[in-house]
Amino acid sequence: MSTQADARGTTGSNPVLGTLFLGMFVMGGAELLVVGVLDVMARDLGVAVSSAGALVTTYALGLAFGGPLLTALTMRLDKRTVLAGALVLFVLGTVVAVTTTSFGLLLACRALTGAAAGLYDATAFAVALASVPPERAGRAIAVVISGVSVSAALGVPLGTVVGNLLGWRGTFAAVIVLACAALAAAMTLVPSVPAAEGSAASQARHAFAPRVLAVLGLCFLVFASTYAALTYIVPFLAETTGVSGAAAGAFLLAYGAATAIGSFGGGRFADRNAGGTLVAGTAGCALTLLALCVLGANPVVVAVAMLAWGLCVFGMAPALQYRVVSLAGPGGGLAQSLPASAINTGVAAGSFAGGAAIDRFSVQAAFLTALGIAVAAFAVAAATRRLAPSPAGEPMPASQQVG
């Protein structure tokens, strides 16, 4: 217990949170890098680009379903051991992926590394919360989430450039090096964190309680709304705003920078009032999507709206994680893995819904679809704002407390 108590000091937690940030940066980059080198991978593997797109889907499915399964199976283990094991599994899967010429085996490796990423995500949140005082829980969550948003804003564009220069295998070789660095840091800097209390079955009763499922539904809606539009932002910019090529890239870079800033800053709002943050954030998303739908022909309005959109979406991310874990009470150990599953399912559903709208109508229809989902998300955020953190008489274990 003394090790954990020491880790809760603000200064002592900095190396731990930095290590977790690095691991999440690697995991987030591995998921998103494929998008930037998809055409290169398709040519190298001798498959159509549409078929290569399954490499994104299998990773997301591995994370959404494999992550919670592995989390349940490893619940009784020390969290530092689980972190290291997740990184080892991720490295092994990526090594096989880089060296194989079989598209089928590559798909299997993507599912495996996605599951490892889901396990790492859940464990990283548990370690982060155990490393800080309860009043800093939201900010600790924000640091972990920021690893993904920064990888999207910076790592993916850089990886795309490297991929086109050295090939996709060279890009993922760099991912392996970074993952090994994260593994070394985890073994050196992360203290022992005791296993969560209770069996997987007992935790599941709390982790899947109706109040938790309601906020998981909100996670789903927020990212379904986002990706119903964001997936098709490039054709929207070209057809509606009249922006393409390098100029479109600048708009996307601005959005990426806003997501990174939002995920860092959102932690403080989560600590102050997580429920209120979700109401304000969903309202902001709906308003920015409305601006894009109505004033999408104005490049200045679109640029401002995309900045605000990125800030709102990822400014909510720490509060979403915070709410799910706190509402799960004694089931917080298992619940750590569930927001990522809900988010990835929302990403897939949103992309599908936006694509269906475009196929039937136009690219603007995808943004109207996103707006409709955002309004539904606002309603759910308002309805769940005052849900109680945990059942009466069932205090959260100290290792899971988030305030």
Side-chain angles (χ1 to χ4, degrees):
M1 292 299 293
S2 62
T3 302
Q4 186 173 342
D6 292 342
R8 282 179 177 268
T10 302
T11 302
S13 69
N14 290 338
V16 176
L17 295 177
T19 297
L20 301 176
F21 174 91
L22 174 60
M24 293 292 279
F25 179 88
V26 174
M27 301 295 178
E31 179 174 12
L32 299 171
L33 276 176
V34 170
V35 175
V37 293
L38 195 63
D39 54 341
V40 178
M41 296 182 75
R43 286 195 301 270
D44 181 62
L45 296 165
V47 299
V49 171
S50 57
S51 298
L55 294 169
V56 178
T57 305
T58 52
Y59 190 99
L61 292 175
L63 193 153
F65 298 103
L69 177 61
L70 291 179
T71 300
L73 292 174
T74 59
M75 192 169 295
R76 306 304 300 163
L77 300 177
D78 183 277
K79 298 307 177 188
R80 180 175 61 182
T81 301
V82 177
L83 272 183
L87 285 164
V88 169
L89 186 62
F90 178 86
V91 168
L92 292 176
T94 308
V95 167
V96 175
V98 166
T99 55
T100 188
T101 57
S102 166
F103 183 65
L105 182 56
L106 180 56
L107 284 174
C109 289
R110 288 289 289 175
L112 176 65
T113 53
L119 174 61
Y120 184 92
D121 292 356
T123 309
F125 287 121
V127 172
L129 292 176
S131 301
V132 297
E135 64 272 14
R136 295 182 61 85
R139 277 163 281 188
I141 290 172
V143 172
V144 177
I145 290 174
S146 296
V148 177
S149 59
V150 171
S151 73
L154 301 177
V156 173
L158 290 174
T160 302
V161 172
V162 173
N164 283 281
L165 290 174
L166 303 179
W168 69 271
R169 298 179 196 273
T171 303
F172 279 90
V175 169
I176 292 170
V177 172
L178 287 175
C180 289
L183 174 60
M187 296 302 296
T188 305
L189 300 174
V190 176
S192 175
V193 179
E197 298 175 11
S199 66
S202 66
Q203 289 222 7
R205 287 196 297 271
H206 299 285
F208 293 100
R211 63 187 179 279
V212 181
L213 293 177
V215 181
L216 289 172
L218 179 57
C219 293
F220 173 90
L221 289 172
V222 167
F223 282 86
S225 169
T226 301
Y227 279 84
L230 187 62
T231 305
Y232 308 100
I233 188 66
V234 172
F236 175 86
L237 290 172
E239 296 179 21
T240 304
T241 315
V243 173
S244 60
F251 277 72
L252 291 172
L253 184 61
Y255 173 85
T259 64
I261 295 169
S263 60
F264 272 115
R268 290 185 178 274
F269 293 109
D271 284 330
R272 291 174 185 171
N273 186 342
T277 297
L278 297 178
V279 173
T282 51
C285 287
L287 290 173
T288 55
L289 286 166
L290 177 62
L292 289 171
C293 290
V294 176
L295 302 171
N298 187 316
V300 175
V301 172
V302 170
V304 173
M306 288 188 67
L307 285 169
W309 191 22
L311 287 170
C312 288
V313 172
F314 278 84
M316 284 189 285
L320 287 167
Q321 183 78 24
Y322 185 109
R323 287 288 279 163
V324 167
V325 177
S326 62
L327 289 172
L334 179 59
Q336 301 280 5
S337 66
L338 300 180
S341 297
I343 287 169
N344 277 274
T345 306
V347 169
S351 297
F352 176 82
I358 290 175
D359 287 342
R360 187 161 184 176
F361 300 105
S362 65
V363 70
Q364 287 81 4
F367 282 73
L368 288 171
T369 300
L371 174 59
I373 301 172
V375 171
F378 172 76
V380 173
T384 59
R385 179 178 182 176
R386 299 191 183 280
L387 287 176
S390 62
E394 295 181 352
M396 296 168 63
S399 61
Q400 298 173 18
Q401 287 180 357
V402 293

